[in-house]
Amino acid sequence: KKTPFFLDSLVTNMLRLRAICAFSWRAFQFRLFSCEPLIIQMNKCTDEEQIFDLIERNKATLSERQVGCAFNILWQLQQQKTSLLKNVEYVRDHPQFLTLYNLTANKFKLMNDDTLVKVLYITQQFAVEAHDPLVEALVTEAWRRLERFDVNVLSVFSSCLADQHLHFSPLMGKIADIVHKNLETIQDLRSLSILMVNISSLISRYFREQLVNKTELLFDTTDSSKVDIARRTVQFLRNVKYSYPPLLERCNKVFLSNVNHLDLDSISRILSLYQFLQFHSFEFVTMAKKRLTEMIPLFDHPASFVKLFVALGPIAGPEEKKRLESTILLMSEELTSQQALAVVGAMEEMESRNSHLIKKIASVLHKYLDTYKPIELLRITQALSSLHFQSKELFLKLRELLLSYLKISVIPSEISILVRAISMIPSPHLDEEGISRIEAVLPQCDLADLNGFATSVLTWIQYGRMYWGSITGKQLKLLQKLDHYGHQRLQQSNNLDLLWEELKSFKGEWLPESLLEETIATLQRLMEEINYKNVAGIASFISRTNYLSTLLLDRIASVVIQQIEKIHPFVILAIIFPFSILNYDPPQRDEFFGTCMQHLNSYLGVLDPLMLVFLGFSFATLEYFPEDLLKAIFNIKFLARLDSQLEILPSSLNTRAQFRLMELNRAVCLECPEFQIPWFHDRFCQQYNKDTGSMNGAQQQIYKMLAEVLGGINCVKASVLTPYYYTVGKLSVERHWKSNIQIVGSRLPPGAERIALEFLDSKAFCKNIPHIKGKSSMKKRHLEILGYHVIQIPHFEWNSMALSTKDARMDYLRERIFRKGKS
């Protein structure tokens, strides 16, 4: 049936009206959107294409503020993505990014300070090169406005310069000057922490102190809970090589309270900074180990897994180490030069014995060897030597590279690095050209560089004696020059803090053999400058010298008593250590020890377990047994924490820690039975005393003579274990002792007597005087408690001219054994 015309027409018109209405609504919607301010439209964009579409449609009318907003939104979108989804290159190469670039070039002078610097920062994040004309123009304009920047804009601009590696530029110096002038008014810790990191290469020691003090103040008065602020603060301390416990402790609390939110990058960085600053936090390491172990299955890409390997490897348990090593072995062929370098360094720390992995990583390093800088070649040499890796081909290549760098280098510190590396490889000799290169820079060297050279020369001399049976005159002449410049440097020193900077990293035999007297004389000359800031460092240095300077130790004790409130408890161990090692009681002994212990009491629950054990042992050698400290150590909870820490320590430190706990346990049992602390180290001592060791030449000589003196070999026993596992030479001397030898003028002690005899070599005495050191003195004390008559024979008496004949030595032994009161 046919539809009536009017109805058909009505339907058609209705459909047309509906279409028109729909179009009108869409057009209305579009007009509403386009009528919104452009910045609001940009802020609603959810991907780069939407932003680029807006730029394309509005490029003729974009203002400098809108250009800045477009850059800002593009960067925000990147920050919201994971590293795998970032598309920096795509954005930078987009035609509309070029439009933004051109608009910026035309409008940057109209931008306000904040927009100008943010645009500079964002263009750099999108990998626009530093030498690009726009970047140069933005930097120049920012420099022109520098004095008026607020602290936030200044901090962002300093980061832009740091990204361009302009840490030492005059412009960064100007920023440092502005921060210095305005430091009192700065209240933004976030911005200040950024500035501190970026200007750290240019600041004086005095300015460093000001920045540290300001940071401490802002930590107390502002919200410093953000991890980034704490991390940058620790980064600053690392940059200026200043291990400052009060700030480190505060930052560590921030990390601990946010540990569950720390990612791999953050944990890795914090552990690296702590290691450099020698700051030990058992709690953080324990939590970091747990978090990192959980991450092992999450990473299968070399870049991420290498970072995990480097962070976790040195603190991992045996099972975790195996998992890490097996995974990195599978990835070894994909490693870049820097990743391989990081892996071999971690393997050195881990004390890896995986020979297959060592060979594989060494082959990767060999492939990239030509690309490494001198300091990296030194790290490779150290690591491969530590891992006992041998490869004639690789070490020949290493030697060639090191020598080629040495021929062109003119920087003393770099030459020192190269020479140290050469001294570590097989056949560590240096030709005339290399020696001349060293001699040329000696006048410019500080004590640290001179020590590096001297250590290398001594290695060459030792090698020459061992393999060639001779020493070259050039080596001896060079050593004499090093001694000359070392003495000169010390004599010219007039600032204790600057001197300490040069001395603190000293290693090797050069200083103890050639410069020790001069160094101690210099420290004594400057000892009025010892204060709460440097007292721990100076004490630590004295511990390493084995030189007993009562003047210096008395000064240290005096400073501690007077300034204890300014000294952080974390450094008390370093202060006590030289007194313990050198067996010295200052005049204010009781006040000094009591002050230190009182300062420690509130920290006994938070100090590292290892530090508490070493503290307890150091006090014990000095016959000081604070009850609170001993109760903090000898309880089940603490010992469980210590066991956990021992699992993550290098083997040498692990063993040392266990020995110190045993020795402390023994000292408390023998000297403080009233504390009723049980002896629980029988099994440990039995394990380590299976082989009691062999005697040296002097000891063998003494025991043969003793057998003659006492009438038979059965009266003398070497390497006898006493109760509590001291090792001594034991003499059997009884009242009815029989002998075919008539001893004129001698008499036996009344009754039976146990005699413990000990030969004391040079290690038992201070370097400069015949004063018995702490451990030997404590051993004598303990043996006497156990009922032994102790005879200690010093090496300098036994090897003296007065005892140059056998008869003289026999008389000496008779006198020491049978004359009462001599011991």
Side-chain angles (χ1 to χ4, degrees), residues 1-5 7-8:
K1 188 176 179 180
K2 196 171 183 180
T3 305
F5 172 80
L7 185 58
D8 184 58

Side-chain angles (χ1 to χ4, degrees), residues 663-774:
E663 290 167 321
L664 175 59
N665 187 200
R666 177 168 60 195
V668 174
C669 289
L670 288 170
E671 299 191 63
C672 303
E674 67 274 14
F675 289 158
Q676 297 185 330
I677 291 173
W679 167 250
F680 57 92
H681 276 90
D682 263 331
R683 187 185 301 174
F684 173 83
C685 291
Q686 289 165 6
Q687 179 183 348
Y688 282 99
N689 284 285
K690 289 177 182 176
D691 179 12
T692 53
S694 57
M695 295 183 291
N696 60 34
Q699 289 170 322
Q700 290 175 356
Q701 190 180 48
I702 289 170
Y703 283 105
K704 284 180 182 178
M705 291 185 179
L706 281 170
E708 292 184 43
V709 169
L710 297 177
I713 196 69
N714 59 313
C715 296
V716 180
K717 289 185 179 180
S719 302
V720 173
L721 288 177
T722 73
Y724 294 97
Y725 296 90
Y726 273 120
T727 304
V728 297
K730 184 179 177 184
L731 312 183
S732 297
V733 180
E734 301 173 5
R735 188 167 189 175
H736 303 294
W737 165 71
K738 295 179 181 180
S739 173
N740 297 324
I741 300 173
Q742 183 66 34
I743 302 178
V744 180
S746 67
R747 66 182 182 84
L748 291 171
E753 191 168 28
R754 291 190 301 173
I755 296 178
L757 184 135
E758 187 179 17
F759 178 76
L760 300 178
D761 61 16
S762 59
K763 294 178 182 177
F765 295 91
C766 297
K767 188 84 174 178
N768 54 321
I769 57 174
H771 178 77
I772 294 178
K773 289 162 63 177

Side-chain angles (χ1 to χ4, degrees), residues 232-299:
R232 281 193 293 266
T233 301
V234 180
Q235 179 70 58
F236 167 74
L237 294 174
R238 183 253 178 268
N239 288 0
V240 296
K241 301 176 182 177
Y242 186 30
S243 186
Y244 185 69
L247 259 186
L248 288 170
E249 184 193 7
R250 286 171 175 166
C251 293
N252 191 57
K253 287 178 180 177
V254 174
F255 299 144
L256 288 173
S257 62
N258 290 278
V259 73
N260 291 329
H261 304 295
L262 296 179
D263 60 11
L264 172 60
D265 285 346
S266 298
I267 294 174
S268 172
R269 189 65 188 149
I270 293 165
L271 288 172
S272 174
L273 294 171
Y274 279 3
Q275 182 181 33
F276 181 90
L277 292 167
Q278 296 185 330
F279 177 75
H280 308 289
S281 169
F282 168 67
E283 282 77 13
F284 181 78
V285 172
T286 302
M287 292 184 181
K289 178 184 173 183
K290 180 177 180 295
R291 289 272 294 131
L292 293 172
T293 302
E294 292 167 355
M295 294 179 189
I296 293 178
L298 305 179
F299 299 107

Side-chain angles (χ1 to χ4, degrees), residues 351-500:
E351 300 176 333
S352 175
R353 292 295 173 259
N354 187 324
S355 57
H356 189 32
L357 179 59
I358 293 170
K359 288 178 183 177
K360 196 69 181 175
I361 298 300
S363 70
V364 178
L365 292 168
H366 196 169
K367 179 173 67 175
Y368 292 118
L369 218 49
D370 291 315
T371 67
Y372 291 115
K373 300 172 185 175
I375 187 65
E376 293 169 337
L377 292 176
L378 173 60
R379 289 174 188 157
I380 290 169
T381 307
Q382 287 175 323
L384 292 180
S385 299
S386 175
L387 295 169
H388 308 296
F389 175 75
Q390 295 180 346
S391 167
K392 185 177 180 180
E393 183 184 359
L394 189 150
F395 282 115
L396 278 174
K397 183 69 179 295
L398 251 178
R399 182 178 177 78
E400 287 175 12
L401 285 169
L402 292 166
L403 289 172
S404 66
Y405 275 121
L406 185 59
K407 287 178 182 177
I408 60 173
S409 181
V410 293
I411 304 170
S413 58
E414 185 174 86
I415 292 174
S416 178
I417 286 168
L418 292 165
V419 170
R420 278 172 60 200
I422 292 170
S423 72
M424 292 179 183
I425 60 180
S427 187
H429 58 278
L430 202 61
D431 58 18
E432 288 189 27
E433 188 177 357
I435 291 176
S436 299
R437 178 66 65 180
I438 296 172
E439 290 176 334
V441 297
L442 290 183
Q444 307 168 49
C445 291
D446 63 14
L447 286 168
D449 290 331
L450 292 172
N451 182 63
F453 287 133
T455 302
S456 301
V457 174
L458 289 169
T459 301
W460 302 335
I461 290 174
Q462 185 179 12
Y463 183 85
R465 281 177 177 157
M466 190 179 300
Y467 292 99
W468 301 331
S470 64
I471 308 168
T472 67
K474 288 185 179 297
Q475 291 171 344
L476 291 177
K477 186 179 176 182
L478 178 55
L479 201 55
Q480 289 170 352
K481 287 187 177 182
L482 288 162
D483 290 349
H484 166 75
Y485 283 107
H487 281 280
Q488 188 180 75
R489 185 85 179 178
L490 286 165
Q491 290 162 3
Q492 293 172 352
S493 294
N494 56 14
N495 182 293
L496 183 62
D497 288 332
L498 294 178
L499 175 62
W500 165 238

